[in-house]
Amino acid sequence: MREQWVRVLATGSSVPETVLTNFDLEKMVETNDEWITTRTGIKERRIATSQETTATFALQAAKEALCRAGVSPEEVDLIIVATVTPDMLFPSTACLLQRDLKAKNACAFDLEAGCTGFVYALAVAEKYLRGGGGRVALVVGAETLSKIVDWQDRSTCVLFGDGAGAVVLGLGEEPGILATYLGSDGNGASLLELPAGGSRFPASFETITQRLHYIKMNGNEVFKFAVRVMEEASNEVIHRAGVNIDEVDTFIPHQANIRIIQSAAKRLGITEEKIFVNVHKYGNTSSASVPIALDEAVQEGRVRKGDLVLLVGFGAGLTWGSALIRW
Ligand code: COA
């Protein structure tokens, strides 16, 4: 019996209870609901409390996915947590998750590829299982971006939110992940960055007074890049899988901005009813965005067995990536 496919056995997600609406933001910075809604499509986002960390949501999402898959933590061979907001620089948030799950047979590491992190982690885990590294992988995208957002900068603070999504991957005989595609271009590194806290600018009085521990972004350039690479990444993975874009049943893009999603979908010729959108509820949750959307799409019955699902992401690095899955 030959097992040649890596399949998604189940999904899960978790978001903070605290909701921050555009109207709440009006009281914090000079902005308004109309501006945020028309420019981004975002109406509200979820915000972690001071007690909650990235690992909090990673654990809840992972437990939900494992429970739905009927897989025990001991059966997991590999844990990857995609995140740009780990609990600490080290140890990895994946090791904290491994500990809290008691997944004693798993190796665990974090993967940082900006908002493309989950798609990167999915591709890496798929290759790992296919290459004989094990039978079950847990792939999580988890973030608490509210902790690195500059709440005095209206051009970024309205965009981001917190949460986590998870998938359990296993080997099977039926088709699952048909193809993946990943790309990067470090020439665009400065377009979206968190300058301080690493070896270039270790924490100091200056880095704090200059607010260098917060997200800095060139929104216009990132917007243009995003639309371009979403089209390219979608076309490439479709080509690799040998299918036609018309065959895609559900398009689940990174939820950064409704205008980016709509522009990319238009260029690809993907009709509106095939696009899954939840950016209005959560804003941009970086690595958590695609797996939260995937989980919601599955729970809402938008993704059914046999469907062709296209995931596509883009983000800091710059990075981009896509995955095509037969559900
Ligand atoms: N509320 C009100 N006005 C705001 C504002 C806010 N929250 N943020 C910025 N503005 C102002 C700007 O100061 C500017 O004013 P000015 O013309 O007087 O200088 C004006 O709105 C237009 O700003 P601009 O940056 O040109 O707007 P935009 O239409 O490009 O939209 C983004 C800005 C950030 C929404 C958009 O560029 C974007 O979504 N980029 C991609 C970001 C992204 O997805 N990042 C994550 C990638 S993973």
Side-chain angles (χ1 to χ4, degrees):
M1 192 160 59
R2 261 189 84 205
E3 291 175 326
Q4 50 181 332
W5 296 101
V6 173
R7 295 185 54 78
V8 178
L9 303 181
T11 62
S13 64
S14 167
V15 293
E17 276 181 23
T18 309
V19 177
L20 186 75
T21 67
N22 292 348
F23 298 103
D24 296 328
L25 279 164
E26 287 182 4
K27 295 176 205 132
M28 297 163 62
V29 286
E30 205 183 322
T31 190
N32 57 76
D33 173 59
E34 204 258 332
W35 192 96
I36 303 171
T37 306
T38 53
R39 303 284 174 127
T40 72
I42 301 165
K43 297 298 285 183
E44 58 187 43
R45 67 289 289 145
R46 300 300 182 97
I47 304 293
T49 64
S50 58
Q51 318 303 317
E52 291 169 328
T53 70
T54 294
T56 310
F57 305 106
L59 179 64
Q60 287 167 4
K63 277 185 171 171
E64 188 171 72
L66 286 169
C67 177
R68 286 180 180 150
V71 168
S72 72
E74 300 83 58
E75 292 175 80
V76 177
D77 300 298
L78 166 70
I79 298 174
I80 309 179
V81 174
T83 185
V84 297
T85 49
D87 280 34
M88 293 168 275
L89 273 182
F90 68 86
S92 68
T93 303
C95 278
L96 305 182
L97 179 61
Q98 182 274 339
R99 175 196 65 195
D100 294 345
L101 284 172
K102 300 185 180 64
K104 60 179 188 202
N105 298 311
C107 63
F109 63 92
D110 285 1
L111 188 155
E112 199 272 275
C115 300
T116 324
F118 176 79
V119 178
Y120 261 66
L122 189 74
V124 169
E126 192 250 345
K127 303 292 179 271
Y128 185 87
L129 294 187
R130 267 198 194 226
R135 298 188 59 82
V136 176
L138 174 64
V139 179
V140 183
E143 305 284 6
T144 43
L145 295 166
S146 63
K147 315 241 182 189
I148 59 162
V149 154
D150 186 345
W151 291 105
Q152 294 179 14
D153 177 7
R154 68 173 184 176
S155 69
T156 52
C157 76
V158 302
L159 303 175
F160 300 100
D162 303 337
V167 297
V168 179
L169 302 179
L171 291 166
E173 287 163 63
E174 284 180 65
I177 299 175
L178 302 182
T180 59
Y181 164 66
L182 305 177
S184 73
D185 179 9
N187 290 311
S190 63
L191 296 181
L192 182 50
E193 61 179 4
L194 192 149
S199 59
R200 182 177 296 186
F201 299 119
S204 67
F205 182 73
E206 282 74 33
T207 61
I208 291 169
T209 50
Q210 290 169 31
R211 309 186 76 75
L212 296 181
H213 294 272
Y214 296 123
I215 296 174
K216 311 285 176 203
M217 182 179 71
N218 180 333
N220 287 318
E221 288 304 315
V222 172
F223 192 104
K224 285 185 266 177
F225 148 76
V227 175
R228 179 171 55 78
V229 296
M230 275 175 81
E231 181 185 14
E232 181 201 314
S234 301
N235 282 330
E236 180 60 31
V237 81
I238 293 285
H239 172 73
R240 288 184 183 193
V243 301
N244 194 298
I245 195 90
D246 299 336
E247 295 172 55
V248 170
D249 295 293
T250 312
F251 177 51
I252 303 183
H254 173 43
Q255 308 283 316
N257 182 319
I258 190 69
R259 287 158 55 218
I260 294 175
I261 295 172
Q262 286 170 343
S263 305
K266 196 172 166 200
R267 287 163 77 144
L268 287 161
I270 295 176
T271 52
E272 198 140 328
E273 71 277 4
K274 290 186 175 180
I275 311 169
F276 189 82
V277 175
N278 64 6
V279 70
H280 53 288
K281 293 195 287 183
Y282 306 122
N284 180 348
T285 57
S286 191
S287 293
S289 148
V290 168
I292 292 174
L294 176 63
D295 182 47
E296 288 200 345
V298 172
Q299 302 316 317
E300 289 173 19
R302 288 279 304 272
V303 173
R304 296 209 182 82
K305 189 161 167 47
D307 280 0
L308 203 54
V309 182
L310 172 58
L311 310 180
V312 56
F314 59 89
L318 299 166
T319 57
W320 56 93
S322 49
L324 193 69
I325 307 173
R326 178 69 69 190
W327 207 257

